[in-house]
């Protein structure tokens, strides 16, 4: 068996270990079910796996370190579960990952330094977790990113200028954090952006940054709840 998709059913209980004995699998879809418990450590047997979808279940526990053996993975989706703890320090072994979705869990703490070695990532969604501290400036090493969502965590301090080096970004969401300081104007160099969300942070009160007018491809702009001042009529939406 090479491809197994058991998604969008009503399977319950823990993930059956027998599934992880199918060592020829390259695709495993167990998403949109009611699976509980931990991701089985036996997952390390699936070293040909390129895509693992376990999102939208009731999983708990932490990401097992054994997952680092899945060195062929290009897509990992664990979003909308109850997974806790920190990211494993050996996560950089998944060096072929193009998409990593872990949003809507209970991950906490800071990123392991090794995380920033995953420079093939094109999509990274870590939103709606409990990550803390200043957002790492090492984000600049992920220069293949086209979509970055870090919103609704407890990141503090300034939005790092290094985000502006991600010049392939099309989608950027930093909303719902605890970022402070002036509105992040350096992101105005990300001229491929079609979606930008900076809502619900603790930026200094101020007027609309004129540099944002350079984002001429924007289709969605979310500036809600950031204490912006001035006359709304002075903002020329037709410039986008």
């Amino acid at each position: 068996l090479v491809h197994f998709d058991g998604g969008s059913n009503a399977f319950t209980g823990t993930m059956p270990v027998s599934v992880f004995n199918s060592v020829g699998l390259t695709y495993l879809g167990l998403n949109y079910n009611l699976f509980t418990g931990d991701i089985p450590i036996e997952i390390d047997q699936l070293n040909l796996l390129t895509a693992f979808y376990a999102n939208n279940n009731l999983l708990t526990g932490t990401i097992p370190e054994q997952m680092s053996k899945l060195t062929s993975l290009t897509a990992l989706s664990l979003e909308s579960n109850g997974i806790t703890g920190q990211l494993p320090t050996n996560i950089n072994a998944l060096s072929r990952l193009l998409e990593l979705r872990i949003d809507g869990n209970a991950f906490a703490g800071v990123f392991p330094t090794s995380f920033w070695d995953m420079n093939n990532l094109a999509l990274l969604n870590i939103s709606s977790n409990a990550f803390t501290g200043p957002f790492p400036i090492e984000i600049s090493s992920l220069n293949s990113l086209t979509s970055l969502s870090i919103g609704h965590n407890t990141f503090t301090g300034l939005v790092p200028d290094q985000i502006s080096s991600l010049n392939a970004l099309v989608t950027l969401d930093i909303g719902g954090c605890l970022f402070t300081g002036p509105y992040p104007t350096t992101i105005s160099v990300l001229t491929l952006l079609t979606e930008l969300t900076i809502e619900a942070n603790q930026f200094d009160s101020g007027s609309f940054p004129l540099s944002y007018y350079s984002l001429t491809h924007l289709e969605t702009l979310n500036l809600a709840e950031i204490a912006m001042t001035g006359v709304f009529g002075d903002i020329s939406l037709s410039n986008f």
Side-chain angles (χ1 to χ4, degrees):
L1 190 65
V2 174
H3 183 114
F4 178 77
D5 191 347
S8 299
N9 283 292
F11 293 125
T12 59
T14 57
M15 289 183 171
V17 172
S18 58
V19 171
F20 300 98
N21 292 330
S22 300
V23 295
L25 283 175
T26 61
Y27 179 100
L28 179 57
L30 300 174
N31 47 329
Y32 292 99
N33 280 289
L34 299 170
F35 288 118
T36 56
D38 296 356
I39 299 171
I41 61 174
E42 289 82 1
I43 196 171
D44 64 357
Q45 299 178 82
L46 304 183
N47 56 14
L48 299 179
L49 203 64
T50 61
F52 180 44
Y53 293 91
N55 51 287
N56 296 85
N57 279 287
L58 302 171
L59 299 175
T60 52
T62 60
I63 294 180
E65 292 198 358
Q66 288 82 354
M67 191 171 281
S68 66
K69 296 184 179 180
L70 307 184
T71 54
S72 296
L73 267 187
T74 60
L76 177 59
S77 289
L78 301 175
E79 72 266 26
S80 299
N81 281 289
I83 302 173
T84 59
Q86 295 185 314
L87 296 175
T89 56
N90 58 4
I91 194 170
N92 61 321
L94 306 180
S95 59
R96 296 184 183 179
L97 266 188
L98 303 176
E99 301 180 4
L100 176 60
R101 295 178 173 91
I102 58 172
D103 46 299
N105 280 285
F107 290 106
V110 297
F111 287 85
T113 303
S114 57
F115 183 84
W116 309 109
D117 296 332
M118 302 171 66
N119 53 19
N120 285 317
L121 278 175
L123 183 152
L124 175 61
N125 192 336
I126 61 167
S127 59
S128 300
N129 280 288
F131 291 114
T132 58
F135 192 75
I137 62 174
E138 290 84 358
I139 185 65
S140 61
S141 66
L142 305 186
N143 54 17
S144 297
L145 283 176
T146 61
S147 179
L148 174 62
S149 300
I150 66 172
H152 298 278
N153 282 284
T154 50
F155 294 123
T156 56
L158 303 177
V159 176
D161 287 342
Q162 286 77 6
I163 285 181
S164 66
S165 67
L166 306 178
N167 53 21
L169 274 185
V170 176
T171 301
L172 175 61
D173 179 1
I174 60 171
C177 293
L178 299 175
F179 288 123
T180 55
Y183 302 131
T185 55
T186 55
I187 59 178
S188 62
V189 302
L190 303 175
T191 55
L192 297 182
L193 282 179
T194 62
E195 298 183 23
L196 174 61
T197 298
I198 65 172
E199 48 115 16
N201 276 287
Q202 298 181 1
F203 299 126
D204 300 337
S205 178
S207 58
F208 180 80
L210 297 181
S211 61
Y212 285 5
Y213 286 136
S214 64
L215 303 175
T216 55
H217 292 94
L218 275 185
E219 298 173 1
T220 300
L221 176 60
N222 190 340
L223 305 175
E225 300 179 63
I226 56 171
M228 193 165 280
T229 60
V231 178
F232 179 74
D234 291 341
I235 301 176
S236 180
L237 299 182
S238 61
N239 283 357
F240 293 106

